[in-house]
Amino acid sequence: MLKKRLFSLKPFAVLIVVAVFWIFVPIGFKSRLSSVFHEFQAPLSAGNSYIRELQNYWAARAKSKDELYDAGKDLARLNATYELMILENQTLKQEVERLEELLRLPTRPDYHYEIARVVSRDFNSWWQHLEIRKGRKQGIPFGAPVVFAGGVVGRVKEVHEYTSTVELLSNSHLRMAVMIEGDNRPMSYRGAGFRTLQTPVGLAEYIPNDINTNDPSNPPRIITSGMGGVFPAGIHIGYLKRLRPGASGMFQDGDVYLDKRLTSLTEVAVLIATEESPQ
């Protein structure tokens, strides 16, 4: 009987020994082991991503001619809209350059976009990140901002050989300086998880007391401030709602409702700063 009881406790003893051993393992070894494990499983995740794309391809091939014709018309309208937006963007860029030269302001760094497919998503209460299908081999730098058509996605937290981990905007570990559109007073932002299964939210702090959300149809829009040197200024983050007194009593706190598409992204763009040519 005693022998049987000792045998039943053997798995727990092994678990305790492994836990104690892991506590005393050097941090460098843990980091290296984690990186090796990630590189080992990366091909499996990337393979699943390619299989999903192949399934989507054959699903599109199965559509009727009428469906393809309607999709083509919608695509033509989108292309025309994007062409107009590109022209408008070029005009605004020229105006900014003219004003910078007139006011003798330093030129902001330029960026180029590196488009990457999303391999997997993790929306648990602790981490909340995306895995993208580009890494060190494609020149993805650590800490680079990641965006999509609806604004900020997050920033690159880890860079591996062929994949990278993106810390989502809703992640509580992500903090940045932001401001309200049309108001240059800086505020603080951090992720706050998901209020429901489909609504990612953030928390804005140090909001001036003269800001209000009395008009639900036109809530204040939160954008990046450009401070900190990570995100360019003016990129959309979300809309400010539900203000309440802050801990200090001198400012307000408020919920920032983020774009729902953050939970279903299939493609993102990594902003990589263009290096200045040597003088």
Side-chain angles (χ1 to χ4, degrees):
M1 179 67 94
L2 180 60
K3 189 175 181 180
K4 186 181 292 186
R5 183 175 297 178
L6 291 175
F7 182 78
S8 64
L9 294 176
K10 188 176 180 180
F12 297 100
V14 172
L15 182 61
I16 292 172
V17 170
V18 171
V20 172
F21 171 76
W22 187 253
I23 290 173
F24 292 100
V25 169
I27 298 296
F29 178 79
K30 291 180 182 178
S31 177
R32 180 62 180 169
L33 187 63
S34 175
S35 178
V36 169
F37 177 75
H38 185 93
E39 296 293 356
F40 177 77
Q41 69 173 4
L44 298 177
S45 300
N48 289 334
S49 176
Y50 283 114
I51 290 173
R52 286 196 301 269
E53 290 182 4
L54 186 61
Q55 291 173 336
N56 292 335
Y57 169 77
W58 285 109
R61 287 290 299 267
K63 291 184 181 296
S64 67
K65 292 183 178 180
D66 291 338
E67 290 176 319
L68 293 175
Y69 178 72
D70 292 338
K73 289 195 300 183
D74 293 338
L75 186 60
R77 284 194 289 267
L78 282 174
N79 286 337
T81 302
Y82 288 147
E83 287 177 1
L84 291 174
M85 292 175 65
I86 289 172
L87 291 175
E88 182 181 2
N89 182 55
Q90 291 175 344
T91 302
L92 292 173
K93 184 177 180 180
Q94 292 172 357
E95 178 66 11
V96 168
E97 291 175 351
R98 186 185 71 83
L99 292 174
E100 285 179 343
E101 183 178 356
L102 182 65
L103 300 173
R104 297 179 180 179
L105 296 174
T107 302
R108 292 175 294 180
D110 292 327
Y111 295 86
H112 71 270
Y113 294 92
E114 185 67 39
I115 307 300
R117 299 289 291 180
V118 174
V119 173
S120 62
R121 309 174 184 85
D122 187 356
F123 298 136
N124 66 59
S125 59
W126 290 100
W127 305 117
Q128 296 183 17
H129 62 256
L130 301 176
E131 202 75 21
I132 60 174
R133 211 166 61 195
K134 287 191 177 178
R136 196 175 297 111
K137 284 287 187 180
Q138 291 77 28
I140 302 297
F142 171 80
V146 182
V147 299
F148 77 118
V152 174
V153 174
R155 64 184 171 207
V156 176
K157 180 184 177 183
E158 297 177 4
V159 181
H160 305 283
E161 200 69 15
Y162 297 99
T163 61
S164 298
T165 302
V166 177
E167 194 174 45
L168 274 177
L169 189 61
S170 56
N171 194 315
S172 61
H173 294 89
L174 190 147
R175 296 173 179 268
M176 68 174 75
V178 298
M179 61 185 183
I180 294 174
E181 185 178 33
D183 190 327
N184 61 1
R185 290 174 292 183
M187 305 180 302
S188 176
Y189 169 89
R190 63 178 173 87
F194 286 77
R195 187 56 51 82
T196 65
L197 292 177
Q198 296 184 344
T199 307
V201 295
L203 174 65
E205 300 172 310
Y206 306 111
I207 303 170
N209 285 319
D210 60 335
I211 301 297
N212 64 74
T213 55
N214 296 334
D215 184 3
S217 63
N218 187 29
R221 181 167 172 253
I222 304 297
I223 59 176
T224 55
S225 67
M227 297 180 180
V230 177
F231 290 92
I235 304 180
H236 175 80
I237 291 179
Y239 292 96
L240 184 63
K241 298 182 179 181
R242 298 184 182 178
L243 290 174
R244 52 188 173 274
S248 66
M250 299 177 62
F251 298 96
Q252 303 179 91
D253 294 343
D255 294 333
V256 180
Y257 278 62
L258 310 176
D259 197 307
K260 291 183 179 180
R261 289 175 291 178
L262 285 173
T263 62
S264 58
L265 291 174
T266 58
E267 199 170 62
V268 297
V270 182
L271 294 182
I272 302 177
T274 304
E275 296 182 4
E276 297 183 359
S277 58
Q279 299 295 328

